[in-house]
Each structure stands twice: as C-alpha cells, then as structure tokens.
Amino acid sequence: MEKLEKALRWAEENLRADYVELRYEDLRKTTLALKDGVFTSFTGKLNRGVAIRVLADGAWGFASTSDLSNLERKIEEAYKLAKAAAETKREKIELAEIKPVEDFVKSKMKVKPGEVDIEEKVAHLRELERLLKEDEAVKSVHVRYEDGGGQKILLTSEGTRIEWDYNYLYQGTYVTGKADGKLAMARDSIGAVDYGWELMTDVEPNEKVTERLLRKMHSQLKGIAPKRGEFPIVAGPIVVGIIAHEALGHLAEADLTINSPFKDLIGKQIAPEYVTMSERYVEGGFGNDKYDDEGVPVRDIRIIENGILKEIMLNREYAAKWGMEPNGHARAESYRYAPIIRMRNTIFEPGDHSFEELIEDIKFGYYVVDFRGGQAQLNSAFQVGVQEGYVIRNGEIAESIRDTSITGVAIEALKKISAVGKDFGLEVGFCGKGQTAFVSSGGPHMRFDGGILIG
C-alpha cells in the first residue's frame, strides 16, 4: 500500500492528469484438471501486479506491470498514451461523479480454499470421478477445478481507498456416456465468491453433482429427436438464465446498448407486466461484490420492471454519456486489463405460478431444463443447445429428448411469455467479452406460448 500511495502522490504532483487510478492484485491461484484418472493440470500460480489508468485531456491511457519497483515510470507511460490518444479523439471522455470510498471488504467464506490442503482437493476430485464412473454408461470424466485467494487494492486520485480480501473457487465437470450405440455428453458447473470450501462439502457435495450429471446424460441416451417447430415451451431456471444473460443482458451493457434495439426502447413496454429482469445481488451468486473496479458501490438494478425496459449497466464513463447514476458494473479480469462494463448476476424475478400450473393445459410442447453452449447477437437473436429436455404431453412430463437446440429472437419471445413460476434457480459460469468475468444467470420456470423454435 505504501508504494502505491507514494506513486499516486508523485503522479498528482508531476502530471496534469484529470484522474489517476491504481489497481493492485496479489492473488495465488490453484488449477487442477483430472481426466479419467490422470491429472493433466496441477499448477499453482502467483498473479501480482498493478493496473494503471490515467485520464488526461479527455482520453484514457492504460498500462500494467508486475514490477513494483518503478511505478512512477509506468504511470508516466499511461499518461503519455492518454495525451497521444487525446489528439485523435473527437468526443472527450468525462466521468460521472462519485463519492470517494474508504473501505475494507472482508470475505464471507467460512473456509477459504487457500486454507484447504492440496491432498483434500485431490481427494475431492477423485471421489467425484469415482461416483460418476459407478454408472456403467459413463465412459469418460473430466473435472476442472480452480481457486484463487489474496488481496486487491484500489487507489484513485479522487480519494478512493478500497482493499478486498478476495477469494473464489470453481469446478466444471464433463461426462461422456454411451448406451445402445448412442453417445451423450453432459456438463455441470459450480462456483462461488461468498462460499468457500463449504461449497464442496455442504452446499454442492459430490453426490448432488453426480446425481445432476447422470440425470442429464441418461435423459439424452434415452431421448428421442423432437419435432421441429414452434410449440409451447416451458423453460427451466438455467435456460431462462442463459436467455437473460446472452440474448438480453448484453444488450443492457451500456457500451453495447448504443448499437442494440434497447437504445430506442428504454421506458417502453417490451414484455407482459408480470415479467421483471434484474441485475442484482443473489445468494450464492458468482458475480457478487460490494464495489466494482472503479470503486463504485454495486447497485441492484431492474433492467425490465413489470414489462418496461428501465435500466442499463453502466461504468462512470457511460453514466456521464447517458446522464445516469453509475451502478457498479465496471469489471476487469485482472490487473492486465482495463475495466469494462460487465454483467454480474442476471436473472428473471419469480412470479406466482406453480410448475404444475405452467404445464397443465399444454396438449403438446416441450420442457427444456438445461443448456449446452449458447450464443446470441446484438439484435437479441439466440441459439442455445439443450442438454436436458422433455416432451410435455397432455399436461404431463413425458419422454426425454436429445440432439436439439432452441432458437429465437429474445425481444419477440419476451412478448410470448404467458406465465412465470414462483421458484428460482441459478447457474454459475464465465462470460467472455474480450476478458473473462465470473457471472451467474437464472430465474424461475417460465412458459413461452411461441417465439421459440425447437428442433
């Protein structure tokens, strides 16, 4: 902290910058990968360095370094980059005002991953593989585990001083199964920033993960090909979440909003009044934090409220452009990157229907439970692979389906939502936007009477 303070004072005394930001990280990361009894990755890495952002003459300059011995030189480098960029910019960057914060953000974890012996982590992965391979149909298992822990510090020329006791852990599991000449693949992911090793022992133990994976795999092995067409669709929380994140969430990131259909729809009704979609703190959410990487308090927002497009995700730069309050969505993958606007936990809010009420009057339709891969475009068109789904026949769940995907245009599909369940579920994972960010997505079961094509 002392070196950072000294370098910041030097910048304030020697440079004519509008704003200087130093973001320090000291994180120890562990990565394990187990594939069919063999550890293909077994690494521990130390990530330590400083990200430097300087705003001068209405332009950004950015530099990063793992060498803390001469921070002043790196700050000057970022300053010169900003000055050079300013000569080419037509529109000068301004930052929305915020109140400087001094705070220490303590980890909520009961048992931090760094406090757990590597032998226990290895035993955990081996046990998960053993449980999965007790099923004769399972032919291959791949488990990837990662955790990190350490310190993050943010100092700015405006007076913000924030230190984080920062920790996370993640596990992705993939199985391949074969039966009666059919092949199937299933995946499952768990992760947390607020739960520690208790995620693995209490919240999401190996038995629970195994049960989910085998259900997904066998639903495909026993499944039939669905009819291609537009039928009533009941989407489970994880599929609802991927639509919220991929097809709608990116449109609500302010740097993308300007080139998306959302630009002209703010304040307008885009869904039935019983539909609300949020970006907010969620218990167990992978995107949870108290402040963003600009030192802005993270605020819950309603992207869609009672069917009306209300709020978008902002950093300080875009908050100034839109004349709005910043809401804490500037995030950087590490000190090697400048923060950009990112999602955290993007979810549809629960309604008041039971699952039975959602399906009871469907003569023929589909229930899609979980996805395998998804993509979307800025017009909200999406395609999502389905790794678990079922036929709905005469108001009841019938046979499973395989080898299928759902497609649609989310802005149109929103209008066809006819009922929202009162339950809630969450999926954790990673989002790429030039950088990787920990995110969650989810919601309740939802019924679409059109707007989604299956097949």
Side-chain angles (χ1 to χ4, degrees):
M1 179 74 91
E2 192 177 323
K3 279 185 179 179
L4 297 174
E5 292 279 11
K6 182 186 170 195
L8 188 58
R9 282 197 303 272
W10 176 88
E12 290 169 342
E13 291 167 5
N14 293 278
L15 305 178
R16 298 181 63 184
D18 304 316
Y19 171 79
V20 181
E21 173 186 282
L22 304 180
R23 188 165 39 83
Y24 170 75
E25 286 180 10
D26 184 359
L27 301 176
R28 188 170 294 278
K29 297 186 177 184
T30 300
T31 304
L32 303 174
L34 175 63
K35 184 169 172 56
D36 297 328
V38 178
F39 278 92
T40 56
S41 177
F42 209 112
T43 61
K45 289 182 181 178
L46 183 64
N47 280 29
R48 181 186 292 151
V50 181
I52 300 155
R53 260 200 328 172
V54 176
L55 185 65
D57 297 340
W60 284 119
F62 176 79
S64 68
T65 181
S66 57
D67 180 6
L68 273 62
S69 64
N70 196 347
L71 284 177
E72 291 83 0
R73 182 174 59 81
K74 274 291 180 180
I75 295 172
E76 188 173 21
E77 180 185 313
Y79 175 70
K80 287 178 178 177
L81 287 169
K83 296 285 280 186
E87 295 178 10
T88 66
K89 284 192 81 71
R90 294 179 185 174
E91 187 182 346
K92 301 298 183 186
I93 292 169
E94 294 180 9
L95 300 181
E97 286 190 18
I98 60 166
K99 187 177 179 181
V101 171
E102 291 193 26
D103 201 359
F104 174 75
V105 182
K106 190 176 185 301
S107 173
K108 296 179 180 179
M109 290 183 172
K110 290 179 184 174
V111 182
K112 294 176 186 175
E115 298 168 355
V116 178
D117 290 339
I118 191 70
E119 291 82 6
E120 187 172 346
K121 295 173 185 176
V122 167
H124 170 82
L125 267 62
R126 287 203 181 279
E127 184 201 31
L128 178 56
E129 181 185 61
R130 180 185 63 77
L131 288 171
L132 286 163
K133 286 200 167 180
E134 284 179 358
D135 188 298
E136 289 183 357
V138 172
K139 302 305 177 189
S140 180
V141 176
H142 183 194
V143 190
R144 183 178 175 277
Y145 170 87
E146 181 182 318
D147 67 42
Q151 179 188 42
K152 285 174 61 176
I153 297 172
L154 176 67
L155 301 184
T156 77
S157 55
E158 295 174 336
T160 287
R161 302 285 187 277
I162 303 173
E163 181 181 350
W164 286 263
D165 172 18
Y166 181 73
N167 300 270
Y168 73 91
L169 74 169
Y170 172 83
Q171 175 184 284
T173 310
Y174 310 85
V175 299
T176 303
K178 186 176 182 181
D180 300 325
K182 292 180 180 178
L183 274 173
M185 291 181 69
R187 58 151 202 95
D188 187 86
S189 59
I190 58 174
V193 291
D194 292 338
Y195 297 129
W197 190 248
E198 61 270 18
L199 178 75
M200 304 299 184
T201 57
D202 303 334
V203 183
E204 292 282 1
N206 282 338
E207 292 79 7
K208 196 172 174 181
V209 172
T210 298
E211 183 185 343
R212 273 199 306 267
L213 275 162
L214 294 180
R215 190 190 69 230
K216 295 173 195 178
M217 182 192 75
H218 281 290
S219 74
Q220 294 176 63
L221 290 173
K222 297 171 185 172
I224 61 167
K227 296 178 182 178
R228 178 175 170 80
E230 194 172 351
F231 303 99
I233 298 280
V234 173
I238 294 175
V239 175
V240 161
I242 196 69
I243 292 172
H245 176 97
E246 289 288 356
L248 296 166
H250 283 298
L251 275 61
E253 293 171 326
D255 53 341
L256 300 181
T257 304
I258 54 173
N259 295 311
S260 83
F262 273 11
K263 181 184 177 184
D264 301 317
L265 292 174
I266 294 175
K268 295 182 179 175
Q269 190 94 22
I270 64 169
E273 60 185 17
Y274 44 82
V275 174
T276 293
M277 182 177 130
S278 305
E279 243 286 320
R280 64 169 174 86
Y281 172 85
V282 179
E283 182 71 32
F286 210 24
N288 290 344
D289 206 343
K290 190 174 180 183
Y291 303 99
D292 74 0
D293 286 326
E294 293 182 327
V296 176
V298 176
R299 181 165 61 81
D300 292 351
I301 64 171
R302 291 289 173 92
I303 296 172
I304 301 169
E305 186 172 38
N306 299 329
I308 296 170
L309 183 62
K310 277 287 188 72
E311 296 180 273
I312 58 176
M313 289 165 268
L314 301 158
N315 60 6
R316 292 182 65 186
E317 178 184 338
Y318 276 84
K321 276 185 184 181
W322 288 79
M324 297 176 177
E325 289 274 325
N327 49 37
H329 285 86
R331 303 178 70 190
E333 178 180 333
S334 72
Y335 74 87
R336 296 181 179 90
Y337 298 87
I340 56 175
I341 300 169
R342 305 303 301 273
M343 280 176 268
R344 293 184 175 278
N345 308 303
T346 314
I347 56 110
F348 280 100
E349 298 289 353
D352 54 11
H353 286 76
S354 68
F355 180 73
E356 290 72 24
E357 288 171 332
L358 295 179
I359 67 171
E360 63 185 0
D361 65 346
I362 296 177
K363 288 186 177 178
F364 185 87
Y366 290 98
Y367 172 34
V368 287
V369 182
D370 202 344
F371 73 92
R372 184 200 298 111
Q375 59 184 6
Q377 276 137 42
L378 271 181
N379 65 352
S380 85
F382 65 89
Q383 179 173 7
V384 175
V386 175
Q387 69 165 339
E388 184 182 4
Y390 303 88
V391 174
I392 301 172
R393 187 178 289 108
N394 297 323
E396 293 186 352
I397 303 301
E399 62 269 27
S400 59
I401 57 175
R402 60 174 282 126
D403 299 334
T404 192
S405 64
I406 55 171
T407 58
V409 177
I411 288 177
E412 297 305 315
L414 278 174
K415 299 168 187 172
K416 302 293 181 73
I417 295 171
S418 58
V420 179
K422 55 188 176 185
D423 59 344
F424 185 81
L426 200 66
E427 163 96 340
V428 307
F430 301 93
C431 174
K433 187 182 171 184
Q435 305 177 30
T436 300
F438 302 157
V439 296
S440 300
S441 57
H445 281 82
M446 296 174 75
R447 175 169 162 175
F448 295 79
D449 283 345
I452 296 179
L453 187 71
I454 193 165

PDB file of all heavy atoms in Angstrom, residues 65-87:
ATOM      1  N   THR A  65       1.813  -3.557 -14.963  1.00  0.00           N
ATOM      2  CA  THR A  65       3.160  -4.046 -14.702  1.00  0.00           C
ATOM      3  C   THR A  65       3.153  -4.997 -13.514  1.00  0.00           C
ATOM      4  O   THR A  65       2.342  -4.861 -12.594  1.00  0.00           O
ATOM      5  CB  THR A  65       4.125  -2.877 -14.407  1.00  0.00           C
ATOM      6  OG1 THR A  65       5.431  -3.395 -14.170  1.00  0.00           O
ATOM      7  CG2 THR A  65       3.682  -2.058 -13.193  1.00  0.00           C
ATOM      8  N   SER A  66       4.059  -5.967 -13.553  1.00  0.00           N
ATOM      9  CA  SER A  66       4.275  -6.845 -12.395  1.00  0.00           C
ATOM     10  C   SER A  66       5.512  -6.401 -11.621  1.00  0.00           C
ATOM     11  O   SER A  66       5.865  -7.005 -10.612  1.00  0.00           O
ATOM     12  CB  SER A  66       4.433  -8.300 -12.852  1.00  0.00           C
ATOM     13  OG  SER A  66       5.492  -8.408 -13.785  1.00  0.00           O
ATOM     14  N   ASP A  67       6.166  -5.343 -12.106  1.00  0.00           N
ATOM     15  CA  ASP A  67       7.356  -4.792 -11.458  1.00  0.00           C
ATOM     16  C   ASP A  67       6.955  -3.563 -10.649  1.00  0.00           C
ATOM     17  O   ASP A  67       6.643  -2.512 -11.203  1.00  0.00           O
ATOM     18  CB  ASP A  67       8.394  -4.435 -12.527  1.00  0.00           C
ATOM     19  CG  ASP A  67       9.664  -3.844 -11.926  1.00  0.00           C
ATOM     20  OD1 ASP A  67       9.781  -3.816 -10.678  1.00  0.00           O
ATOM     21  OD2 ASP A  67      10.541  -3.405 -12.696  1.00  0.00           O
ATOM     22  N   LEU A  68       6.974  -3.700  -9.336  1.00  0.00           N
ATOM     23  CA  LEU A  68       6.530  -2.600  -8.478  1.00  0.00           C
ATOM     24  C   LEU A  68       7.662  -1.645  -8.096  1.00  0.00           C
ATOM     25  O   LEU A  68       7.453  -0.702  -7.342  1.00  0.00           O
ATOM     26  CB  LEU A  68       5.901  -3.150  -7.192  1.00  0.00           C
ATOM     27  CG  LEU A  68       4.406  -3.494  -7.257  1.00  0.00           C
ATOM     28  CD1 LEU A  68       4.116  -4.586  -8.265  1.00  0.00           C
ATOM     29  CD2 LEU A  68       3.900  -3.928  -5.882  1.00  0.00           C
ATOM     30  N   SER A  69       8.851  -1.864  -8.652  1.00  0.00           N
ATOM     31  CA  SER A  69      10.000  -1.055  -8.248  1.00  0.00           C
ATOM     32  C   SER A  69       9.996   0.336  -8.874  1.00  0.00           C
ATOM     33  O   SER A  69      10.621   1.247  -8.346  1.00  0.00           O
ATOM     34  CB  SER A  69      11.300  -1.779  -8.605  1.00  0.00           C
ATOM     35  OG  SER A  69      11.406  -1.921 -10.016  1.00  0.00           O
ATOM     36  N   ASN A  70       9.293   0.499 -10.014  1.00  0.00           N
ATOM     37  CA  ASN A  70       9.289   1.813 -10.663  1.00  0.00           C
ATOM     38  C   ASN A  70       7.887   2.139 -11.192  1.00  0.00           C
ATOM     39  O   ASN A  70       7.666   2.241 -12.400  1.00  0.00           O
ATOM     40  CB  ASN A  70      10.323   1.852 -11.792  1.00  0.00           C
ATOM     41  CG  ASN A  70      10.641   3.280 -12.222  1.00  0.00           C
ATOM     42  OD1 ASN A  70       9.927   4.224 -11.863  1.00  0.00           O
ATOM     43  ND2 ASN A  70      11.697   3.445 -12.985  1.00  0.00           N
ATOM     44  N   LEU A  71       6.939   2.273 -10.276  1.00  0.00           N
ATOM     45  CA  LEU A  71       5.569   2.553 -10.679  1.00  0.00           C
ATOM     46  C   LEU A  71       5.427   3.921 -11.327  1.00  0.00           C
ATOM     47  O   LEU A  71       4.606   4.113 -12.227  1.00  0.00           O
ATOM     48  CB  LEU A  71       4.646   2.476  -9.450  1.00  0.00           C
ATOM     49  CG  LEU A  71       4.297   1.072  -8.944  1.00  0.00           C
ATOM     50  CD1 LEU A  71       3.445   1.168  -7.698  1.00  0.00           C
ATOM     51  CD2 LEU A  71       3.573   0.270 -10.021  1.00  0.00           C
ATOM     52  N   GLU A  72       6.240   4.869 -10.881  1.00  0.00           N
ATOM     53  CA  GLU A  72       6.155   6.228 -11.439  1.00  0.00           C
ATOM     54  C   GLU A  72       6.387   6.216 -12.951  1.00  0.00           C
ATOM     55  O   GLU A  72       5.687   6.902 -13.704  1.00  0.00           O
ATOM     56  CB  GLU A  72       7.182   7.143 -10.744  1.00  0.00           C
ATOM     57  CG  GLU A  72       6.863   7.453  -9.292  1.00  0.00           C
ATOM     58  CD  GLU A  72       7.312   6.373  -8.323  1.00  0.00           C
ATOM     59  OE1 GLU A  72       7.894   5.361  -8.781  1.00  0.00           O
ATOM     60  OE2 GLU A  72       7.084   6.538  -7.107  1.00  0.00           O
ATOM     61  N   ARG A  73       7.373   5.413 -13.383  1.00  0.00           N
ATOM     62  CA  ARG A  73       7.660   5.350 -14.827  1.00  0.00           C
ATOM     63  C   ARG A  73       6.458   4.791 -15.591  1.00  0.00           C
ATOM     64  O   ARG A  73       6.118   5.272 -16.673  1.00  0.00           O
ATOM     65  CB  ARG A  73       8.892   4.473 -15.060  1.00  0.00           C
ATOM     66  CG  ARG A  73       9.319   4.378 -16.530  1.00  0.00           C
ATOM     67  CD  ARG A  73      10.623   3.614 -16.672  1.00  0.00           C
ATOM     68  NE  ARG A  73      10.527   2.264 -16.153  1.00  0.00           N
ATOM     69  CZ  ARG A  73       9.998   1.245 -16.831  1.00  0.00           C
ATOM     70  NH1 ARG A  73       9.482   1.438 -18.040  1.00  0.00           N
ATOM     71  NH2 ARG A  73       9.962   0.040 -16.299  1.00  0.00           N
ATOM     72  N   LYS A  74       5.787   3.778 -15.028  1.00  0.00           N
ATOM     73  CA  LYS A  74       4.630   3.186 -15.697  1.00  0.00           C
ATOM     74  C   LYS A  74       3.433   4.157 -15.710  1.00  0.00           C
ATOM     75  O   LYS A  74       2.662   4.188 -16.680  1.00  0.00           O
ATOM     76  CB  LYS A  74       4.235   1.874 -15.000  1.00  0.00           C
ATOM     77  CG  LYS A  74       5.006   0.674 -15.506  1.00  0.00           C
ATOM     78  CD  LYS A  74       4.587   0.339 -16.934  1.00  0.00           C
ATOM     79  CE  LYS A  74       5.329  -0.847 -17.477  1.00  0.00           C
ATOM     80  NZ  LYS A  74       4.935  -1.175 -18.869  1.00  0.00           N
ATOM     81  N   ILE A  75       3.270   4.918 -14.621  1.00  0.00           N
ATOM     82  CA  ILE A  75       2.195   5.917 -14.602  1.00  0.00           C
ATOM     83  C   ILE A  75       2.448   6.966 -15.672  1.00  0.00           C
ATOM     84  O   ILE A  75       1.522   7.377 -16.395  1.00  0.00           O
ATOM     85  CB  ILE A  75       2.094   6.576 -13.207  1.00  0.00           C
ATOM     86  CG1 ILE A  75       1.670   5.551 -12.155  1.00  0.00           C
ATOM     87  CG2 ILE A  75       1.086   7.736 -13.240  1.00  0.00           C
ATOM     88  CD1 ILE A  75       1.724   6.054 -10.726  1.00  0.00           C
ATOM     89  N   GLU A  76       3.693   7.368 -15.803  1.00  0.00           N
ATOM     90  CA  GLU A  76       4.040   8.362 -16.840  1.00  0.00           C
ATOM     91  C   GLU A  76       3.787   7.801 -18.240  1.00  0.00           C
ATOM     92  O   GLU A  76       3.325   8.508 -19.137  1.00  0.00           O
ATOM     93  CB  GLU A  76       5.498   8.776 -16.692  1.00  0.00           C
ATOM     94  CG  GLU A  76       5.876   9.942 -17.607  1.00  0.00           C
ATOM     95  CD  GLU A  76       7.272  10.469 -17.342  1.00  0.00           C
ATOM     96  OE1 GLU A  76       8.110   9.739 -16.769  1.00  0.00           O
ATOM     97  OE2 GLU A  76       7.521  11.630 -17.708  1.00  0.00           O
ATOM     98  N   GLU A  77       4.050   6.491 -18.416  1.00  0.00           N
ATOM     99  CA  GLU A  77       3.790   5.832 -19.704  1.00  0.00           C
ATOM    100  C   GLU A  77       2.298   5.887 -20.043  1.00  0.00           C
ATOM    101  O   GLU A  77       1.915   6.213 -21.171  1.00  0.00           O
ATOM    102  CB  GLU A  77       4.271   4.383 -19.633  1.00  0.00           C
ATOM    103  CG  GLU A  77       4.062   3.578 -20.896  1.00  0.00           C
ATOM    104  CD  GLU A  77       4.448   2.113 -20.706  1.00  0.00           C
ATOM    105  OE1 GLU A  77       5.535   1.849 -20.153  1.00  0.00           O
ATOM    106  OE2 GLU A  77       3.645   1.238 -21.103  1.00  0.00           O
ATOM    107  N   ALA A  78       1.435   5.572 -19.050  1.00  0.00           N
ATOM    108  CA  ALA A  78      -0.012   5.634 -19.256  1.00  0.00           C
ATOM    109  C   ALA A  78      -0.462   7.062 -19.545  1.00  0.00           C
ATOM    110  O   ALA A  78      -1.345   7.302 -20.387  1.00  0.00           O
ATOM    111  CB  ALA A  78      -0.740   5.085 -18.033  1.00  0.00           C
ATOM    112  N   TYR A  79       0.148   8.010 -18.861  1.00  0.00           N
ATOM    113  CA  TYR A  79      -0.179   9.436 -19.070  1.00  0.00           C
ATOM    114  C   TYR A  79       0.141   9.863 -20.506  1.00  0.00           C
ATOM    115  O   TYR A  79      -0.667  10.532 -21.168  1.00  0.00           O
ATOM    116  CB  TYR A  79       0.602  10.271 -18.062  1.00  0.00           C
ATOM    117  CG  TYR A  79       0.459  11.770 -18.225  1.00  0.00           C
ATOM    118  CD1 TYR A  79      -0.736  12.418 -17.939  1.00  0.00           C
ATOM    119  CD2 TYR A  79       1.540  12.539 -18.663  1.00  0.00           C
ATOM    120  CE1 TYR A  79      -0.868  13.795 -18.082  1.00  0.00           C
ATOM    121  CE2 TYR A  79       1.431  13.915 -18.807  1.00  0.00           C
ATOM    122  CZ  TYR A  79       0.225  14.534 -18.522  1.00  0.00           C
ATOM    123  OH  TYR A  79       0.103  15.898 -18.659  1.00  0.00           O
ATOM    124  N   LYS A  80       1.315   9.468 -20.995  1.00  0.00           N
ATOM    125  CA  LYS A  80       1.717   9.836 -22.368  1.00  0.00           C
ATOM    126  C   LYS A  80       0.786   9.189 -23.402  1.00  0.00           C
ATOM    127  O   LYS A  80       0.466   9.796 -24.427  1.00  0.00           O
ATOM    128  CB  LYS A  80       3.164   9.415 -22.614  1.00  0.00           C
ATOM    129  CG  LYS A  80       4.181  10.289 -21.895  1.00  0.00           C
ATOM    130  CD  LYS A  80       5.604   9.817 -22.133  1.00  0.00           C
ATOM    131  CE  LYS A  80       6.614  10.720 -21.445  1.00  0.00           C
ATOM    132  NZ  LYS A  80       8.007  10.222 -21.624  1.00  0.00           N
ATOM    133  N   LEU A  81       0.353   7.947 -23.118  1.00  0.00           N
ATOM    134  CA  LEU A  81      -0.600   7.282 -24.020  1.00  0.00           C
ATOM    135  C   LEU A  81      -1.923   8.049 -24.055  1.00  0.00           C
ATOM    136  O   LEU A  81      -2.537   8.205 -25.122  1.00  0.00           O
ATOM    137  CB  LEU A  81      -0.845   5.842 -23.558  1.00  0.00           C
ATOM    138  CG  LEU A  81       0.287   4.843 -23.804  1.00  0.00           C
ATOM    139  CD1 LEU A  81       0.026   3.538 -23.061  1.00  0.00           C
ATOM    140  CD2 LEU A  81       0.459   4.567 -25.299  1.00  0.00           C
ATOM    141  N   ALA A  82      -2.366   8.523 -22.896  1.00  0.00           N
ATOM    142  CA  ALA A  82      -3.608   9.301 -22.832  1.00  0.00           C
ATOM    143  C   ALA A  82      -3.473  10.602 -23.614  1.00  0.00           C
ATOM    144  O   ALA A  82      -4.380  10.980 -24.367  1.00  0.00           O
ATOM    145  CB  ALA A  82      -3.967   9.595 -21.379  1.00  0.00           C
ATOM    146  N   LYS A  83      -2.353  11.282 -23.464  1.00  0.00           N
ATOM    147  CA  LYS A  83      -2.120  12.561 -24.173  1.00  0.00           C
ATOM    148  C   LYS A  83      -2.108  12.340 -25.689  1.00  0.00           C
ATOM    149  O   LYS A  83      -2.667  13.142 -26.445  1.00  0.00           O
ATOM    150  CB  LYS A  83      -0.802  13.181 -23.723  1.00  0.00           C
ATOM    151  CG  LYS A  83      -0.748  13.577 -22.257  1.00  0.00           C
ATOM    152  CD  LYS A  83      -1.524  14.833 -21.966  1.00  0.00           C
ATOM    153  CE  LYS A  83      -0.758  16.082 -22.343  1.00  0.00           C
ATOM    154  NZ  LYS A  83      -1.475  17.308 -21.919  1.00  0.00           N
ATOM    155  N   ALA A  84      -1.475  11.251 -26.111  1.00  0.00           N
ATOM    156  CA  ALA A  84      -1.429  10.949 -27.548  1.00  0.00           C
ATOM    157  C   ALA A  84      -2.817  10.602 -28.073  1.00  0.00           C
ATOM    158  O   ALA A  84      -3.222  11.044 -29.158  1.00  0.00           O
ATOM    159  CB  ALA A  84      -0.464   9.798 -27.804  1.00  0.00           C
ATOM    160  N   ALA A  85      -3.574   9.812 -27.293  1.00  0.00           N
ATOM    161  CA  ALA A  85      -4.931   9.429 -27.710  1.00  0.00           C
ATOM    162  C   ALA A  85      -5.852  10.639 -27.769  1.00  0.00           C
ATOM    163  O   ALA A  85      -6.754  10.707 -28.621  1.00  0.00           O
ATOM    164  CB  ALA A  85      -5.498   8.390 -26.749  1.00  0.00           C
ATOM    165  N   ALA A  86      -5.631  11.605 -26.874  1.00  0.00           N
ATOM    166  CA  ALA A  86      -6.493  12.795 -26.816  1.00  0.00           C
ATOM    167  C   ALA A  86      -6.464  13.583 -28.127  1.00  0.00           C
ATOM    168  O   ALA A  86      -7.455  14.205 -28.512  1.00  0.00           O
ATOM    169  CB  ALA A  86      -6.069  13.688 -25.657  1.00  0.00           C
ATOM    170  N   GLU A  87      -5.338  13.544 -28.814  1.00  0.00           N
ATOM    171  CA  GLU A  87      -5.200  14.295 -30.073  1.00  0.00           C
ATOM    172  C   GLU A  87      -6.064  13.718 -31.183  1.00  0.00           C
ATOM    173  O   GLU A  87      -6.363  14.391 -32.161  1.00  0.00           O
ATOM    174  CB  GLU A  87      -3.735  14.316 -30.502  1.00  0.00           C
ATOM    175  CG  GLU A  87      -2.829  15.083 -29.540  1.00  0.00           C
ATOM    176  CD  GLU A  87      -1.362  15.034 -29.963  1.00  0.00           C
ATOM    177  OE1 GLU A  87      -1.098  14.571 -31.098  1.00  0.00           O
ATOM    178  OE2 GLU A  87      -0.511  15.455 -29.165  1.00  0.00           O
TER     179      GLU A  87
END
